[in-house]
Amino acid sequence: MCGIFAYTGNKNASKILIDGLKALEYRGYDSSGIFVHGVGNIKSTGGIENLKEKIGSNFQGTTGISHLRWATHGQPTKNNAHPHTDCTEKVFIVHNGIIENYKEIKEKLISLGHKFISETDSEVISHLIEDNLKTEKDFENAVSKSLSVLNGTFGIIASYVNEPNKIIVARMGAPVVLGIGDGENFVASDPSPIIRHTKNIVYLHDGDIAIVTPDSYDIYTLDNNIINRDIEVIDWEVEQIQKDGHEHFMLKEIINCPNTVNDTLRGRLMTEEGLAKLGGLEIVADKLRDINRIIIVGCGSAYYAGLIGEYMLEEYAEIQVEVEIGSEFRYRKPIIDKNTVVLAISQSGETADTLEAIREAKRKGALTLGIVNTVGSTIARETDAGIYNHAGPEIGVASTKAFISQITALSLITIFLGRQRQMSLTMGKRIGEELLELPKKIDSILNNKEEIRKLAEKYSKYKNLLYIGRKYNYPIAFEGALKLKEVSYVHAEGYGAGEMKHGPLAMIDENFPTVAISLDDSVYKKVISNMEEIKARKGKVLAIATEGDSGIKSLADDVMYIPKTLEMLSPILSIIPLQLFAYYFALKNDCNVDKPRNLAKSVTVE
Ligand code: F6R
């Protein structure tokens, strides 16, 4: 989720751009860069302050483009930072999104003599424009011809040294807005860097191209028809824009989950062949054929995602799996042989306990893999291979979309390893097809968020809650309880439903409700009898059930429904109402959901 921002007018562009990039920082960043006409192109790793320091006070010009990078392709290095240029250093572009067919385009451009300096997908855009400038009559046509061959998502701003007061902008799948000023205009990924200058905003639509100068903006469709887009006057504050109008990042991130699943899956499923194409595992694919044991390490939510992975990988890839919390792994004496892989799961890629577990596994000679969200993070760099989540930055301290993405990534790895072994084509296809259905199923749960809010408010008076589940939803009981604890500071415990009679049942009375994940799956009847044990002790039950199961209402006091899916994928759906439940429960108790007390987003100490 990179940020793009451009200015054309009569003021000092670099100052406006640097201030604007700061307003975009919430989108995540690992590097940044700026190009100003008549002055130059400067890039830097790290935060905006680093870039500002490099620019100094002599970087004066009146039109420029800038970028804040959250890496998806290629490490967060200076060369990979934007703006990218072409061989002649006349075309400069910034890009937010993913160009799916960049490898083919890059190969073709290299065969035509182009020299690339970055590992990014984005650099193909500037070279394509350079190539098309040889045959097209002007910059505009060269840009639109280049866009016509791109597959994927983009918000692009392009600039050409021969036309210093003009920027060309295009949108396909990644948001782009124009800010309309007086003798100056702005372009950005969202209005947050613009509204301190003007409240007049034009939202571009997918397929729109805009030609922007200090005094004009003309919008065209990709097939070159001029089009009118209304100016909207925005009265939101910067914070509201950053949260997409939602009250909190946590809610924004839960609501974003259909996109998160799509982003994690994008380009990785070969549904017809029942395969998962995981570029990050290709280099170790042969070694992975021989492994017979996987140890998954992670902390908190990442650990619970790992537990779900254990069920998936054992059932469908037929590989023995153990899951360890990072903080325990290295203090045990893990038995690792040449056929054992250690797989780290981490959103931040910086969690000290998980990192140390990976280092210990390497010392013992294990092949190490990662499922990591933050490109270029320490765990991503230190593992031998792995896959990125592509979930975008997660700002709410309590993990929501990253957790969903981790389970999605584990399903892809299950297909990958399963198909190397006994998993049938039919099964590979079935999982792939069902994964693709998940975004709209998540949407249908999100559409019921008002009902979930009412239930959360109803239960918000309780000080203790129990969460129970079995098999694939056993880890969801832990994760559901963790979400509630973190954001509302209420005591919540996860338990395997079958364990109730071995102790926890003693706690149950009318003041200690249970959230029971009781889906229409292979353990349904077992969970129902566990619910009956609770009801017999006067315990209240809030059930997560499968749509169509009206019978459950005669047992449970309240029900939150989710659509049916494959049992192995059901945690991706069952956690959504529990995340929303925790969110609304905490709000009712006036808690700071985005920044719960005593917690940090990235735990870099042991
Ligand atoms: C829970 C939560 C934490 C993290 C844990 C691991 O909502 O956010 O439990 O899951 O600290 O963090 P990463 O995934 O960054 O290694």
Side-chain angles (χ1 to χ4, degrees), residues 529-560:
S529 59
N530 301 135
M531 285 165 64
E532 272 158 359
E533 291 160 6
I534 293 165
K535 288 305 298 174
R537 272 100 189 153
K538 298 199 170 55
K540 282 207 161 17
V541 174
L542 165 59
I544 311 286
T546 309
E547 274 167 9
D549 180 4
S550 50
I552 203 161
K553 286 188 178 157
S554 59
L555 184 59
D557 298 272
D558 295 289
V559 186
M560 301 194 271

Side-chain angles (χ1 to χ4, degrees), residues 361-421:
K362 285 185 98 167
R363 279 180 218 120
K364 290 190 166 352
L367 176 71
T368 56
L369 305 179
I371 296 178
V372 176
N373 193 34
T374 310
V375 176
S377 57
T378 314
I379 296 177
R381 279 185 280 113
E382 294 201 13
T383 41
D384 297 304
I387 70 172
Y388 283 119
N389 290 98
H390 296 319
E394 190 176 60
I395 295 177
V397 165
S399 184
T400 52
K401 65 174 184 170
F403 177 73
I404 299 278
S405 169
Q406 285 160 350
I407 318 173
T408 309
L410 282 159
S411 348
L412 288 169
I413 293 183
T414 302
I415 303 177
F416 185 91
L417 295 176
R419 293 288 282 135
Q420 283 188 332
R421 292 167 175 75

Side-chain angles (χ1 to χ4, degrees), residues 299-302 345-351 354 379 394 397-400 406 479 482-483 486 600-603:
C299 299
S301 299
I345 304 180
S346 177
Q347 186 285 127
S348 60
E350 302 294 349
T351 301
T354 310
I379 296 177
E394 190 176 60
V397 165
S399 184
T400 52
Q406 285 160 350
E479 174 62 10
L482 177 63
K483 283 300 83 108
E486 292 181 278
K601 184 69 188 155
S602 181
V603 188

Side-chain angles (χ1 to χ4, degrees), residues 194-399:
I194 297 177
I195 55 162
R196 73 187 69 179
H197 305 285
T198 171
K199 305 269 184 217
N200 296 333
I201 300 292
V202 174
Y203 288 88
L204 293 191
H205 295 202
D206 279 348
D208 286 357
I209 302 182
I211 298 163
V212 183
T213 69
D215 302 305
S216 66
Y217 65 97
D218 297 307
I219 307 175
Y220 299 84
T221 57
L222 272 179
D223 46 8
N224 223 10
N225 292 315
I226 195 142
I227 191 160
N228 182 42
R229 301 275 176 229
D230 293 339
I231 294 182
E232 294 182 31
V233 181
I234 295 221
D235 54 8
W236 285 8
E237 298 302 320
V238 173
E239 266 236 316
Q240 280 174 288
I241 296 167
Q242 295 176 337
K243 290 173 188 157
D244 268 355
H246 300 297
E247 216 182 321
H248 300 99
F249 282 110
M250 182 175 176
L251 183 61
K252 176 186 168 188
E253 285 161 3
I254 299 171
I255 286 184
N256 202 31
C257 280
N259 293 334
T260 305
V261 172
N262 275 329
D263 290 343
T264 305
L265 296 178
R266 182 167 291 113
R268 290 171 161 172
L269 277 173
M270 298 164 74
T271 322
E272 275 317 297
E273 294 91 340
L275 294 173
K277 191 172 116 202
L278 300 176
L281 296 187
E282 285 310 330
I283 46 164
V284 292
D286 286 337
K287 285 191 188 160
L288 291 176
R289 279 181 203 283
D290 297 328
I291 60 144
N292 55 24
R293 185 161 160 257
I294 300 177
I295 302 176
I296 301 179
V297 288
C299 299
S301 299
Y303 166 75
Y304 297 138
L307 287 178
I308 298 167
E310 178 178 27
Y311 284 88
M312 289 179 180
L313 288 157
E314 290 191 346
E315 183 165 2
Y316 291 99
E318 295 170 40
I319 304 174
Q320 184 199 335
V321 180
E322 287 147 45
V323 192
E324 285 275 352
I325 44 178
S327 50
E328 284 301 316
F329 180 82
R330 72 187 148 135
Y331 296 110
R332 291 184 48 224
K333 189 181 162 196
I335 312 296
I336 289 173
D337 65 17
K338 62 178 182 3
N339 294 323
T340 303
V341 156
V342 178
L343 166 64
I345 304 180
S346 177
Q347 186 285 127
S348 60
E350 302 294 349
T351 301
D353 290 323
T354 310
L355 176 61
E356 287 306 327
I358 278 295
R359 287 179 175 159
E360 177 61 10
K362 285 185 98 167
R363 279 180 218 120
K364 290 190 166 352
L367 176 71
T368 56
L369 305 179
I371 296 178
V372 176
N373 193 34
T374 310
V375 176
S377 57
T378 314
I379 296 177
R381 279 185 280 113
E382 294 201 13
T383 41
D384 297 304
I387 70 172
Y388 283 119
N389 290 98
H390 296 319
E394 190 176 60
I395 295 177
V397 165
S399 184

